[in-house]
Amino acid sequence: GTTGGVYASWPRQRHVHDPSRDVPAGVAGVVSCLENASDSLPRYCEQYESVWAAAAANSAAQPSPRMLNTRIASAPSAREVLRLHAEFGSTFNEVHLSTSWRRLSRLATAPERRLFQREPALLAPLRLQTTGSLLLLRRRWGARAVASTAHSLAKLSLHGESWEELWRGITLAIPPLLSSFTAQALANTAWAYSRTGRASPPLLHALASEATPRLSEF
């Protein structure tokens, strides 16, 4: 399939532009909302939009949502996860996004993790789409997807200025879903926020309050 944008430069090109000026990717119909959602969200690049538009137009090549998630979950490498996103990202939903982060956290080698941490722009398309989905389409996200995404980002040590909007989206999504969190999801979420130094007293209190009546499940 057609790939392009930031992904095409990885891992051959090690020095990428400042992520605040880089090439993010978007979902048709959400682009204008994202452009105005926050001043810290980069504007969407026409070049990358055209890549996604071409892929979306070729409907015959689009796998079903379930098949696409299976392909992401069985991807053999981090690069393949990102290739799938470059090709089919215009059709990704919250499950696909969460599965992509989880697969990246399991597959990325130590050098790849360091590269992702050093060059946030390499993951800008996936990061920006996930951020927009969490901020604008939060009701579609379930407890498992939110907890898994937080846990995966922490495993990859992805935090700092470039990741603030994404973590904010996750933080806003957690409270309404806490009652649906499994014991494992609560533990993973607490670990993720502690690992990234984002554990605020209100959040920890909310997690503890939900976990205390269910201590036997841990």
Side-chain angles (χ1 to χ4, degrees):
T2 303
T3 58
V6 179
Y7 294 150
S9 67
W10 174 68
R12 294 184 300 278
Q13 179 179 333
R14 299 183 65 83
H15 299 289
V16 185
H17 295 297
D18 185 324
S20 66
R21 301 191 300 272
D22 214 319
V23 184
V27 181
V30 182
V31 173
S32 61
C33 295
L34 279 176
E35 288 177 344
N36 299 314
S38 168
D39 292 338
S40 63
L41 287 175
R43 294 183 62 82
Y44 281 60
C45 174
E46 292 182 3
Q47 174 191 355
Y48 209 94
E49 274 190 53
S50 67
V51 171
W52 277 27
N58 186 13
S59 58
Q62 297 292 319
S64 68
R66 178 175 294 183
M67 179 59 69
L68 179 56
N69 200 57
T70 297
R71 289 179 63 177
I72 299 168
S74 60
S77 66
R79 183 164 185 157
E80 176 62 11
V81 173
L82 298 184
R83 189 198 68 76
L84 287 169
H85 182 255
E87 183 172 3
F88 301 115
S90 61
T91 66
F92 270 34
N93 59 31
E94 66 282 358
V95 176
H96 301 132
L97 294 169
S98 174
T99 301
S100 295
W101 290 113
R102 184 169 65 252
R103 196 64 179 158
L104 282 175
S105 73
R106 293 179 178 177
L107 294 173
T109 63
E112 287 171 345
R113 289 169 186 251
R114 289 193 293 270
L115 185 61
F116 292 156
Q117 294 157 15
R118 186 172 66 250
E119 305 285 5
L122 291 173
L123 295 177
L126 182 59
R127 169 170 54 84
L128 267 293
Q129 186 180 0
T130 307
T131 301
S133 182
L134 280 163
L135 291 177
L136 301 173
L137 306 171
R138 193 177 309 142
R139 293 180 182 178
R140 298 183 181 179
W141 284 71
R144 180 179 179 181
V146 171
S148 175
T149 301
H151 188 245
S152 299
L153 291 173
K155 285 179 65 178
L156 290 165
S157 295
L158 299 177
H159 53 92
E161 183 178 359
S162 297
W163 300 90
E164 280 300 309
E165 285 290 335
L166 177 49
W167 278 104
R168 184 170 76 88
I170 293 172
T171 301
L172 291 172
I174 289 174
L177 297 171
L178 272 178
S179 61
S180 301
F181 273 42
T182 63
Q184 187 64 59
L186 289 170
N188 286 348
T189 302
W191 177 87
Y193 276 80
S194 176
R195 168 85 173 179
T196 57
R198 306 184 61 84
S200 65
L203 177 63
L204 289 179
H205 177 73
L207 290 170
S209 296
E210 187 62 39
T212 299
R214 296 195 267 160
L215 289 177
S216 61
E217 299 177 30
F218 287 85

